[in-house]
Every structure is written in C-alpha cells, then in structure tokens.
Amino acid sequence: MLYFTKSKGDCTGCSACYSVCPVRCIEMKKDEEGFLYPTSSDECVHCEKCKKVCPIENPFGDSNNIIPQKAYCVLTKNKKIWKRSASGGAFSEICKAFGDDKTVICGAAWDGFEVKHTCVIGVNNIKSLCKSKYVASSAEEVFSEIKDKLNENKKVIFCGTPCQVAGLKGSLDKEYDNLLLIDLICHGVGSADVFKSCITEIEEQFNKPIIAYEFRAKRSTHQADYLSKVTFFDGSNKYITNDQYIQLFLKQNCLRPSCGENCRYRNEQRQGDITIADFKGLTEIFPNLKGSKRNYSSVIINTTKADSVVKKMLNHVKYFECEIDDIKKYNPLFFRQTWASKDRDAFFADYLADKDLCIKKWTTKSTVSNISIKRRIYDIAPVFIRRLVLKEEGCKHCEK
Ligand SMILES: Cc1cc2nc3c(=O)[nH]c(=O)nc-3n(C[C@H](O)[C@H](O)[C@H](O)COP(=O)(O)OP(=O)(O)OC[C@H]3O[C@@H](n4cnc5c(N)ncnc54)[C@H](O)[C@@H]3O)c2cc1C
Ligand code: SF4
Ligand code: SF4
Ligand code: SF4
C-alpha cells in the first residue's frame, strides 16, 4: 500500500494514484486474497500527487448533487437490451440518451474469468459492458485513456462502483461537461481469485471445463436475481442458482476489505451524475406491476447534468416516478452500510491455507435450475393470469 494508507480497509483499489504518478513508479499488485493494491518503488520522488488525488483523503470531492434527488423505475422497451442487462436496461438506455456512435463508453467487461474496465467506441458496441459482474474490476488502464479522450473533446460515459467513480473524479484535474458518470448501489466486490477457485469447484461438480460464466442470467421472460449461466468447453450450458461464488458473495465472506462496513460511498450524496440499481420493492410501490414479466432498474438523478439526459431517456422507455424514500426503504444500501461479516477473516484464513478445501468447507454445491412445465406456462401467460396465480399461490414459481 502507499505511505498514506493506514489499513487495507481504506484502499478501494480505484487506481487513481497509479494513473497520476509522474514517474510511473506505482504498480497495482494483487495481495494474497486476490485484491489489487498500489505499491510504489524506490523511484518515488515524493511529490505527493498520489495522496492529493486519493478519494480516501477527500471522499466526496466537490459534490454537485441536487438534493433531494429524483428517482424513477425504468424498463427498456427493447427485449434484447433487457436480456443482456442485469435489471431493466437503464445503463444501455442512458448511453443511448447521452451518446452517439463516436462516444467513448467505459465499463466492466470480462477478461477470461477476471473483470477489467474497458473503453468501447459507440453506443451500439456496449454489449460486453452490460450485466453485473460481481467481481472486483481493475480500472488501472482506463483513467488516463479517459482523460485523453475528454481533452480531445470526445463525449465519455463511465459506469462503475461509486469508489471507482470517485477514483476517476480524483484523477481528473477539472470538471468536464463532456463526461457522464454513472454509479451503482453497491453491495461490494468479491475477490477475482476466489471467483476462479469457485469456477474450479463448479467444474469439479459437473466434471467438465468451463469457458464462460454469466451472472444474472435471464431466459424466456424469467429472471431470478442469482441465476447464473455456465458454458462448458463442449459447448453445452447449464443454468445454476446459488452457486459457490454467489453464496460467498452474499454472505460478504469474499468481499474487498474496503467494502462491507468500511464502505464510505453508501451515501445519499452520490459520486455519479446518475445512480442505477435494481428496482427493489416493485410490487409494493407499484401494485399495478404485480405479475410483470420483466425486472426494472432504479434510476436516480443526482446532478443537473443528469436531469436533461434522463429526461431524454424517459421518452424511449417504460417508466414510473417514485420517491427517494421508496429507494431508501427497499434498497437501503443507497445510503447506509451493510453489517460487518463475522466470518470473513476465518474464511480467508482457510482460503490461504488450502483453496480447494476452503471452497468445499464454506459452500454447498450449485443447484441446477430446471424450468418446470408449470413454470413455462406461467412464463408465457398474460399478465392478468400471472396475477391471479400469484394471488392464489403466492410466488411459488422460483426455479429450483
Ligand atoms: C459489484 C456490484 C454490486 C452491486 N450491488 C447492488 C446492490 O447491492 N443493490 C442493487 O440494487 N444493485 C446493485 N448492483 C447494480 C445492479 O446489479 C445492476 O448493475 C443495475 O441494476 C444496473 O443494471 P442495468 O440493467 O441498468 O444495466 P447493466 O447493463 O446490467 O449494467 C451494467 C453496468 O454495470 C457495470 N458493472 C458491471 N460489473 C461491474 C463491476 N464488477 N465493477 C464495476 N462496474 C460494473 C458495467 O460497467 C455496466 O456499465 C451492483 C452492481 C455491481 C457491479
Ligand atoms: S487512489 Fe485508490 S488505489 Fe490509490 S491508495 Fe487511494 S484508494 Fe487506493
Ligand atoms: S509520491 Fe509522487 S512519485 Fe511517489 S508514488 Fe506518489 S505520485 Fe508517485
Ligand atoms: S462497497 Fe463501497 S468500497 Fe466496495 S466496491 Fe462498492 S463502493 Fe467500492
């Protein structure tokens, strides 16, 4: 870690320091748990630029937030966009509203079984950035690229966790009208090494090598929060629920130390111009949406810049306005911490001793998700029939 960081819980790995070091003496190195931290070499000239840009030192910068913010429940009208998105496709629709075919869009993409922030050009080329990857993403290569593009007067959209957005803001020396920042309501990010160990465990369970993995898989009209899709080397696929990695992620056992109770970014004062998230409490807030075939996104306008972008987006999507208090009630990570994971230290102690044994000890096998005939009929049934079924049975249609 760098000289001014007191503990691992302080450093989010955002890489702002890395991107501004004038002598390039900072390296982002993985620790034994699989998280990136900056380290400086003897070539350091003690200029303190890294300290000045670090969001730990200045967590909220000069916030432009308009308080109270405005909140919407949003669903894309395009089924293909919905399918490739984690929730209602807000990210893709915001990109279309702000950008064009020359806009630079930066978000998290798979790189094998690691996740890296990557820049693509053009709003029609964002597919690789779509869908949540609940693994820590490295952004070290993109901050200086984004700065160059902004200075060339190109429009840029950056989407990431709030701490990454804070890092990018820290690494830029001024405000740019041509930059749109999108942050997420964030549960935390997990270790890429633990993720790969879980992939090995799933391979062992199914006795076949895996070549691709997708969080938040969707099939037909059905979506379940923690349905994943694995693609095997032989070309076959399996949909699995509550897999080994998801179990560890949800219990917060494999999260970065700066997440969990240490996160400084779960705050109404947001880092992004726009905050996106799952829309939680859908049928409680909008009873008319009971039986809905698709899940929706939350979109929260935090700045005046975002106001015009979101207004433009709303012309092309299905949406409902809601109160910020609805978001706070049903999705409290918007503004408050999670609990501290009591098992994290014990988990990582086991992990460092023996990775394979540890995953076996701390998780149960993935459940294969098969869609029953009843479920298939429910999926294609009109919404009024789905509502009747829900009324009679409660929601018993989750896949198992
Ligand atoms: C690590 C993580 C934790 C989250 N926790 C919550 C939560 O607790 N509650 C909640 O309501 N929503 C959470 N979300 C947000 C949610 O999963 C969806 O991303 C959100 O609903 C937007 O979906 P969408 O359909 O609009 O767009 P999508 O197309 O699904 O949005 C994708 C965007 O997410 C970004 N992204 C994907 N993976 C990562 C990553 N590893 N690091 C940084 N950015 C990434 C991409 O850059 C892309 O721009 C989380 C997302 C991530 C990535
Ligand atoms: S700038 Fe980011 S990566 Fe560097 S020390 Fe600060 S939090 Fe860590
Ligand atoms: S003090 Fe200056 S030279 Fe040293 S690591 Fe930080 S930015 Fe680089
Ligand atoms: S929980 Fe906080 S520190 Fe962790 S990734 Fe999310 S915003 Fe960053």
Side-chain angles (χ1 to χ4, degrees):
M1 285 191 300
L2 296 183
Y3 65 97
F4 56 87
T5 328
K6 289 182 200 71
S7 76
K8 285 193 167 173
D10 278 343
C11 175
T12 63
C14 72
S15 75
C17 50
Y18 167 90
S19 77
V20 299
C21 176
V23 292
R24 313 278 305 158
C25 74
I26 298 180
E27 197 185 334
M28 297 299 292
K29 269 194 187 159
K30 255 192 194 173
D31 73 349
E32 65 285 1
E33 293 180 347
F35 297 107
L36 290 170
Y37 292 92
T39 50
S40 60
S41 70
D42 294 346
E43 284 149 51
C44 172
V45 294
H46 308 289
C47 67
E48 299 214 335
K49 275 198 170 166
C50 50
K51 187 175 177 190
K52 275 188 208 128
V53 302
C54 175
I56 296 162
E57 301 289 306
N58 183 21
F60 291 101
D62 296 323
S63 169
N64 293 325
N65 279 199
I66 41 170
I67 305 279
Q69 293 113 314
K70 280 189 229 159
Y72 296 91
C73 170
V74 167
L75 173 64
T76 177
K77 289 181 180 165
N78 181 325
K79 190 174 172 195
K80 276 193 188 151
I81 291 183
W82 174 77
K83 251 194 144 176
R84 74 177 192 205
S85 308
S87 52
F91 167 66
S92 297
E93 294 293 347
I94 293 166
C95 288
K96 285 200 282 173
F98 181 76
D100 56 30
D101 58 354
K102 294 191 181 63
T103 303
V104 178
I105 301 127
C106 182
W110 285 110
D111 179 26
F113 292 119
E114 303 242 346
V115 182
K116 278 200 170 124
H117 260 66
T118 310
C119 291
V120 299
I121 313 259
V123 296
N124 294 321
N125 296 321
I126 59 172
K127 195 170 169 219
S128 62
L129 314 180
C130 292
K131 270 210 179 155
S132 308
K133 294 102 187 164
Y134 296 118
V135 176
S137 148
S138 66
E140 71 232 51
E141 301 311 332
V142 292
F143 284 3
S144 33
E145 186 181 348
I146 288 174
K147 191 172 178 178
D148 291 345
K149 300 289 179 196
L150 288 169
N151 288 332
E152 288 165 23
N153 269 329
K154 298 241 162 65
K155 274 188 180 179
V156 178
I157 300 170
F158 179 87
C159 180
T161 57
C163 56
Q164 287 176 321
V165 175
L168 174 61
K169 278 166 47 169
S171 75
L172 300 173
D173 38 19
K174 58 174 185 166
E175 297 249 333
Y176 289 88
D177 287 342
N178 47 335
L179 171 64
L180 184 74
L181 297 166
I182 306 172
D183 70 11
L184 308 154
I185 295 182
C186 187
H187 167 87
V189 287
S191 155
D193 285 2
V194 171
F195 178 69
K196 280 187 256 176
S197 301
C198 290
I199 291 288
T200 308
E201 189 60 26
I202 302 170
E203 288 178 329
E204 202 176 292
Q205 181 180 339
F206 294 104
N207 202 18
K208 299 193 234 192
I210 293 172
I211 52 163
Y213 176 100
E214 186 184 331
F215 290 100
R216 306 287 300 260
K218 293 177 176 176
R219 49 181 175 176
S220 174
T221 65
H222 183 65
Q223 28 78 30
D225 274 1
Y226 297 107
L227 181 70
S228 307
K229 179 181 170 186
V230 287
T231 306
F232 297 101
F233 186 68
D234 62 10
S236 62
N237 297 312
K238 266 202 196 320
Y239 287 87
I240 51 178
T241 49
N242 205 22
D243 68 50
Q244 287 83 339
Y245 181 75
I246 290 292
Q247 294 168 44
L248 295 168
F249 178 75
L250 292 179
K251 285 187 195 143
Q252 305 200 99
N253 289 344
C254 65
L255 297 191
R256 193 177 171 96
S258 55
C259 304
E261 79 282 14
N262 290 325
C263 177
R264 300 169 189 210
Y265 298 99
R266 296 199 188 104
N267 198 303
E268 251 176 288
Q269 203 178 358
R270 305 296 302 178
Q271 295 296 333
D273 295 300
I274 302 175
T275 298
I276 58 175
D278 296 316
F279 196 91
K280 306 216 170 163
L282 185 74
T283 52
E284 288 83 354
I285 303 167
F286 302 111
N288 286 348
L289 293 179
K290 209 167 189 167
S292 169
K293 294 195 174 187
R294 308 217 174 131
N295 61 337
Y296 286 66
S297 303
S298 302
V299 173
I300 298 145
I301 299 180
N302 302 318
T303 62
T304 39
K305 187 196 278 183
D307 207 22
S308 58
V309 180
V310 173
K311 266 191 195 133
K312 191 170 168 198
M313 178 196 74
L314 295 178
N315 290 325
H316 304 282
V317 297
K318 187 172 173 186
Y319 74 94
F320 305 90
E321 190 164 358
C322 67
E323 302 295 327
I324 280 291
D325 283 347
D326 293 330
I327 305 283
K328 284 163 92 177
K329 180 171 176 191
Y330 293 100
N331 205 347
L333 295 190
F334 175 61
F335 77 112
R336 68 160 197 248
Q337 296 301 19
T338 44
W339 67 97
S341 161
K342 57 180 179 14
D343 291 330
R344 188 188 183 283
D345 290 350
F347 168 78
F348 271 109
D350 284 348
Y351 187 70
L352 298 185
D354 187 323
K355 296 184 166 110
D356 294 347
L357 269 184
C358 166
I359 305 296
K360 285 191 175 64
K361 174 176 165 188
W362 285 84
T363 64
T364 55
K365 289 190 170 179
S366 304
T367 311
V368 177
S369 160
N370 295 312
I371 308 187
S372 62
I373 297 203
K374 210 172 161 192
R375 170 76 227 188
R376 280 174 213 268
I377 295 168
Y378 176 79
D379 272 350
I380 53 169
V383 170
F384 76 93
I385 303 251
R386 291 159 69 100
R387 277 189 203 151
L388 285 178
V389 174
L390 288 175
K391 208 170 171 185
E392 270 180 26
E393 299 187 5
C395 186
K396 289 181 187 161
H397 290 278
C398 301
E399 308 174 14
K400 275 271 148 65

